Amino acid sequence: MLRVVAFRKAIIAGAAGAWAWEAGLRLLALAGTPTFDIVRELGTMPFPNGPPGLWWPAGMAAHSMIGGAWALFYAYFFWARFRWPPPVQGLVFAIIPALLAAFVVYPQLQLMHLHQNAAQLDWRSYLLILTPEKWGGLLLGHALFGLTVGSLYDRPVGYPAGSDLARPKHLTRRAKRQRDRRREDDGRFIFATGIECSYPTTDRGKWRRDEMEGTRHYERWPEDFELSREVGVTHIRYGPPLHLIFRGPGRYDWSWCDEPIHELEEMGPNPIVDLCHFGVPTWLGDFQNPDIAAALREYASAFSERYPWVRFYTPINEMYVCSRMSALRGLWNEQLSDEGAFARAVINQANASIAMTDAILQRRPDAIFVHSESSEFHQACCPDPEIQQIATFENQRRFLPLDLIYANEVAPIMRDYLREHGICDSEYDAFMAREVPRRTVLGIDYYEWNERLIDSDGNAQALGELFGWYVIASQYWQRYGRTLMHTETNRIDASDAARWLWRQWHNVQLLREAGAPIIGFTWYSLTDQIDWARAIEEPLGIVDPVGLFDLNRDARTVGLAYKNLIDMHRDQPEYRDCKALRELVG
Amino acid sequence: MATFLGAHGYTPGPTQRPLLAGIMTGVVATVPAIAILYLFPSLRVEARILRLTEAMTVAAGCAAMAAAGAVYGRVFGRAANDRRGGWLFGMAFGFALWAAGATMTLPFASGGTVTAGKAAIGVFLAFIAWGAALGALYPHVHRRLHVSLESASKKAEVGPRAATAGRRPDERQVRLRQPSPEDRRRP
């Protein structure tokens, strides 16, 4: 799959392009300029001597269909390849059909209009057939077509925030169930994957990105779950769409997740339910809203009441990343670039995470909470004190959300930072006074861009895998001393993904051998993702080939490698009986 | 190019058989194309231009389209498995074949004689229909030819050795495990 294509949008854009062409050239013809009349060329083929009332509709219909096909081709292969304004992209793309029309299609149309079955050609038939007027008309027509298609085909993924997403027809029949797998809470080491489910807003809260819609999970979930069972994962990180389910205070539309959750209950894999993944419902605004804690508490309570068998929860996914992207980098949700807004986003999410945890524990006292967080590290490039200070600060900032929910004293530099940005001591002390539930797991996500170099200008540059998961995860383990799980990784270069998987796994093995209580490993996600290489800031529809399966649900090499890895290890004594997990579930 | 396609995930994985799927679908897709060629007088005209019998023209066409189907599977890689857009990719490929074959190669092969009139329309429609059928059917045919996840995951290239990313074995490596009798029997 090259791009996620909005079919209807592309076809409408292509047909509109054909109409724009026709309107432009009819105006020229009315002004007396001889030009290239593609509609007549096409329409007089079935009606050679027919009146305009016959050939014009036929020609227009044919040209609209051709326009639709070209626009789809544009959407798949050309759209967003260059960072130009969309009308310019369309205009440049139109050079391709224009050249084909001039040198192939037009000469062939002339042959098709002959009243004979064969003809003799020479090179002049291809090159000298068009008069200058016809060249002009052909180029102008294609320019109008390209500009129209480019202007109309935009934002192939996502939908206006707050609008009702059309309920998908279930195209996939319920997948064959080859094995009767049951959910297992029995202390086996967790081999997991996830369904990518991010749903932040962009464009100042007006546009909703929804990865489950883009990857067509809403339609293909039975197949997705069956594929995860075929790979052999025991658990799946799964985030029902909060923004579609939680319609307002006390109002829920559970139809978005009743069937999938029921299937997981019946067949597995065991879900680790992600209750809030990078976004909130439109009526809640964004992460600057102090009311999100109370609202999400209500949602968590309702969720755990409706699905009482669910035991594993991630209340809020990657609070640090969410706060950074929303309030510092200005890409999602509130789209601010302000330190104070960052601090407030962290506080609001930490409050919400705690409130959700408490609500779930009231319904399910033995619930297990997996706090998935991006593991980060910043390395100063040089002994410059200012650069060192930036690296030190960032290396403390990464811990802030976890420090708050785990009641771990922040470093003095962070305490000053919180005070400076309006977080009063009483608010902070409330976090520190909390008793952290026993069944809490620190989930550590790791990608190749998580380690950064602070360069001599004070900017963060991606370092690649410098120290690796082992070293970075050790820092988190030493700080919190909690049960750990490797909760995310993938590789954007599909040809390198199997290597990355095995190397991540060896990191996990080594840290386990060093004594860390690690209960699981995750390749994230089951299918490819959309626009993550650009932090889903723009709705381009570019497919990132990071999944165990591509968006056609065909296995990628890393999917086979993960199955190999699971098959090789799951029955080994140290994984069949994972002491750390057994202690947690017991 | 191969590296670029691999990194962007277009390269078919070990479960896939794009060439076989392309050959099989390429042949199946000739059915609507041949029907169109019969309906128009295109087949007769083509046979006359090529100085072949109609049966031989059909046979040659099937062989050529089988090869073209294999090329389609190879060129489009994973994208060819897309059930939504397959017909479009196939149609585009059919159009390209028509442009390159029927309008360029055939005239040069036949000393400049080409189909015209209704016969030319038939040839064009036949290529488009062949392409659309190829693209639409390919994902379904290919899916039935996939190697199972179970057996593909046993291949050495996806096993622990993948961690080395295909680095050449070090000639100076120390054998850490004593050779088994089975190892000794190996050439």
Side-chain angles (χ1 to χ4, degrees):
Chain A
M1 192 108 164
L2 312 163
R3 299 276 190 281
V4 174
V5 170
F7 257 62
R8 189 180 299 173
K9 208 180 256 192
I11 289 170
I12 289 171
W19 283 84
W21 172 327
E22 177 65 359
L25 294 199
R26 284 281 161 244
L27 286 175
L28 275 184
L30 283 175
T33 311
T35 184
F36 173 60
D37 190 345
I38 183 72
V39 172
R40 181 190 285 267
E41 293 282 346
L42 293 169
T44 52
M45 223 175 300
F47 303 108
N49 301 308
L54 276 179
W55 64 252
W56 191 85
M60 228 20 249
H63 199 213
S64 299
M65 280 196 288
I66 295 166
W70 272 113
L72 278 171
F73 201 75
Y74 165 79
Y76 267 108
F77 294 97
F78 200 83
W79 156 253
R81 198 162 288 281
F82 303 100
R83 308 312 306 279
W84 302 329
V88 178
Q89 291 184 44
L91 185 65
V92 173
F93 171 76
I95 293 170
I96 301 167
L99 291 175
L100 281 168
F103 295 112
V104 178
V105 177
Y106 185 71
Q108 286 296 314
L109 281 175
Q110 303 314 301
L111 283 172
M112 289 174 190
H113 276 105
L114 295 176
H115 295 290
Q116 59 195 62
N117 283 329
Q120 195 68 26
L121 288 186
D122 59 24
W123 63 272
R124 286 182 211 87
S125 313
Y126 289 98
L127 298 181
L128 300 180
I129 199 166
L130 280 171
T131 60
E133 292 82 17
K134 289 194 168 170
W135 261 110
L138 189 141
L139 292 177
L140 180 65
H142 277 94
L144 288 170
F145 170 79
L147 283 169
T148 309
V149 169
S151 303
L152 294 182
Y153 188 78
D154 199 4
R155 299 180 180 232
V157 286
Y159 43 90
S163 67
D164 282 330
L165 178 62
R167 222 158 279 273
K169 291 175 207 145
H170 285 211
L171 294 181
T172 319
R173 279 176 308 227
R174 204 160 263 256
K176 269 191 289 178
R177 291 157 173 178
Q178 294 170 350
R179 269 158 292 217
D180 186 17
R181 283 183 191 275
R182 296 222 159 267
R183 289 178 300 106
E184 289 162 350
D185 281 346
D186 60 356
R188 278 174 180 263
F189 186 83
I190 292 173
F191 290 100
T193 185
I195 303 293
E196 165 52 11
C197 61
S198 303
Y199 40 79
T201 55
T202 57
D203 197 13
R204 304 283 155 208
K206 291 188 198 121
W207 196 254
R208 175 73 66 183
R209 295 304 308 270
D210 185 338
E211 287 277 312
M212 293 215 284
E213 184 240 357
T215 57
R216 303 185 77 200
H217 175 76
Y218 293 137
E219 292 160 44
R220 303 185 72 166
W221 60 264
E223 194 179 354
D224 286 350
F225 292 158
E226 181 55 28
L227 289 174
S228 67
R229 288 188 283 268
E230 278 187 40
V231 169
V233 297
T234 58
H235 290 64
I236 190 162
R237 295 192 57 205
Y238 192 60
L242 168 69
H243 62 293
L244 297 175
I245 295 170
F246 196 15
R247 311 299 291 183
R251 290 172 48 219
Y252 305 96
D253 180 356
W254 297 111
S255 64
W256 287 98
C257 64
D258 270 344
E259 276 193 83
I261 297 272
H262 179 66
E263 163 105 1
L264 292 173
E265 179 185 16
E266 213 176 63
M267 302 294 298
N270 207 347
I272 300 171
V273 172
D274 230 328
L275 290 175
C276 178
H277 203 114
F278 296 152
V280 289
T282 308
W283 63 272
L284 269 175
D286 52 47
F287 291 104
Q288 298 301 304
N289 180 1
D291 297 335
I292 63 166
L296 292 181
R297 179 192 173 91
E298 183 201 315
Y299 175 68
S301 178
F303 190 96
S304 53
E305 184 183 13
R306 190 169 185 88
Y307 309 109
W309 62 272
V310 173
R311 194 173 183 194
F312 287 83
Y313 284 96
T314 297
I316 300 190
N317 177 66
E318 291 190 348
M319 291 184 282
Y320 169 80
V321 173
C322 184
S323 304
R324 197 174 181 95
M325 293 297 203
S326 304
L328 266 189
R329 286 193 59 195
L331 300 180
W332 305 338
N333 304 308
E334 51 264 47
Q335 289 188 270
L336 295 172
S337 301
D338 178 73
E339 291 289 353
F342 172 82
R344 182 47 61 193
V346 170
I347 293 289
N348 286 346
Q349 288 184 68
N351 270 324
S353 175
I354 290 168
M356 294 160 93
T357 302
D358 292 345
I360 292 165
L361 284 173
Q362 281 182 1
R363 304 262 179 212
R364 176 94 203 223
D366 63 348
I368 296 168
F369 298 95
V370 181
H371 296 112
S372 178
E373 188 55 275
S374 172
S375 60
E376 312 259 335
F377 180 74
H378 295 82
Q379 171 68 47
C381 70
C382 52
D384 180 336
E386 200 183 334
I387 301 301
Q388 298 272 356
Q389 196 184 2
I390 292 172
T392 305
F393 175 76
E394 292 300 335
N395 283 334
Q396 289 302 324
R397 189 210 288 270
R398 63 182 168 155
F399 293 130
L400 181 58
L402 290 172
D403 281 346
L404 295 177
I405 64 168
Y406 287 157
N408 190 80
E409 286 286 347
V410 300
I413 189 175
M414 289 312 297
R415 189 76 194 266
D416 294 343
Y417 170 84
L418 289 175
R419 285 193 188 110
E420 192 185 328
H421 293 101
I423 310 303
C424 61
D425 284 353
S426 60
E427 211 169 350
Y428 173 78
D429 291 341
F431 285 108
M432 294 304 116
R434 180 180 179 243
E435 193 178 326
V436 183
R438 181 175 78 82
R439 294 188 176 90
T440 297
V441 178
L442 170 54
I444 300 184
D445 305 346
Y446 182 78
Y447 296 94
E448 61 172 322
W449 53 81
N450 283 29
E451 295 181 59
R452 301 191 186 93
L453 182 81
I454 306 297
D455 68 17
S456 52
D457 296 325
N459 298 321
Q461 310 278 356
L463 260 177
E465 189 186 20
L466 175 65
F467 298 113
W469 190 87
Y470 178 92
V471 172
I472 313 297
S474 299
Q475 294 177 345
Y476 283 75
W477 178 42
Q478 281 159 16
R479 188 176 184 90
Y480 301 110
R482 297 200 165 273
T483 306
L484 301 182
M485 177 169 164
H486 181 297
T487 36
E488 276 184 30
T489 197
N490 67 41
R491 184 89 168 94
I492 202 93
D493 176 350
S495 59
D496 193 44
R499 181 191 74 97
W500 183 264
L501 169 87
W502 280 101
R503 291 165 76 103
Q504 285 290 298
W505 172 245
H506 295 324
N507 273 263
V508 168
Q509 285 180 308
L510 193 62
L511 196 54
R512 280 193 96 208
E513 283 163 23
I518 302 178
I519 62 164
F521 176 70
T522 311
W523 183 269
Y524 197 81
S525 49
L526 181 78
T527 64
D528 290 349
Q529 302 175 8
I530 298 160
D531 289 337
W532 258 109
R534 289 176 175 79
I536 49 178
E537 63 177 309
E538 281 183 273
L540 300 178
I542 294 172
V543 176
D544 300 319
V546 298
L548 298 171
F549 295 84
D550 64 22
L551 291 185
N552 298 320
R553 274 54 178 182
D554 290 320
R556 290 202 174 279
T557 306
V558 69
L560 304 174
Y562 197 26
K563 180 166 175 53
N564 185 306
L565 188 156
I566 294 171
D567 289 347
M568 185 180 288
H569 291 90
R570 70 172 161 219
D571 290 325
Q572 297 297 316
E574 67 268 38
Y575 298 103
R576 198 175 53 222
D577 181 21
C578 174
K579 188 166 161 271
L581 184 57
R582 196 158 30 80
E583 281 173 5
L584 205 67
V585 297
Chain B
M1 185 68 174
T3 313
F4 174 85
L5 291 177
H8 286 76
Y10 304 152
T11 314
T15 56
Q16 302 195 20
R17 292 166 168 151
L19 296 183
L20 180 60
I23 289 169
M24 289 174 66
T25 320
V27 173
V28 173
T30 56
V31 173
I34 291 168
I36 290 171
L37 291 174
Y38 265 113
L39 282 176
F40 292 73
S42 317
L43 185 61
R44 191 158 30 93
V45 178
E46 288 275 15
R48 206 169 58 221
I49 291 172
L50 292 167
R51 296 191 186 90
L52 298 170
T53 64
E54 286 186 26
M56 284 168 70
T57 307
V58 168
C62 285
M65 292 298 119
V71 172
Y72 173 77
R74 186 74 193 85
V75 168
F76 279 81
R78 279 176 186 271
N81 299 323
D82 184 356
R83 278 179 274 183
R84 288 180 91 201
W87 62 274
L88 179 77
F89 305 153
M91 224 165 70
F93 187 66
F95 178 85
L97 277 190
W98 169 76
T103 75
M104 305 283 184
T105 312
L106 182 66
F108 288 107
S110 63
T113 310
V114 293
T115 53
K118 273 181 77 179
I121 297 172
V123 170
F124 172 74
L125 292 178
F127 269 96
I128 296 297
W130 175 82
L134 169 78
L137 293 173
Y138 182 96
H140 303 281
V141 172
H142 196 184
R143 182 140 282 215
R144 279 161 182 75
L145 298 174
H146 279 181
V147 179
S148 76
L149 220 57
E150 197 67 46
S151 54
S153 68
K154 301 280 186 289
K155 294 189 177 187
E157 69 203 75
V158 300
R161 196 184 297 168
T164 64
R167 286 194 177 84
R168 288 181 181 179
D170 188 345
E171 295 300 329
R172 297 159 299 171
Q173 68 184 321
V174 180
R175 182 178 272 278
L176 298 174
R177 185 178 168 185
Q178 290 304 311
S180 65
E182 205 174 275
D183 288 334
R184 287 196 198 99
R185 278 200 295 276
R186 282 196 195 121

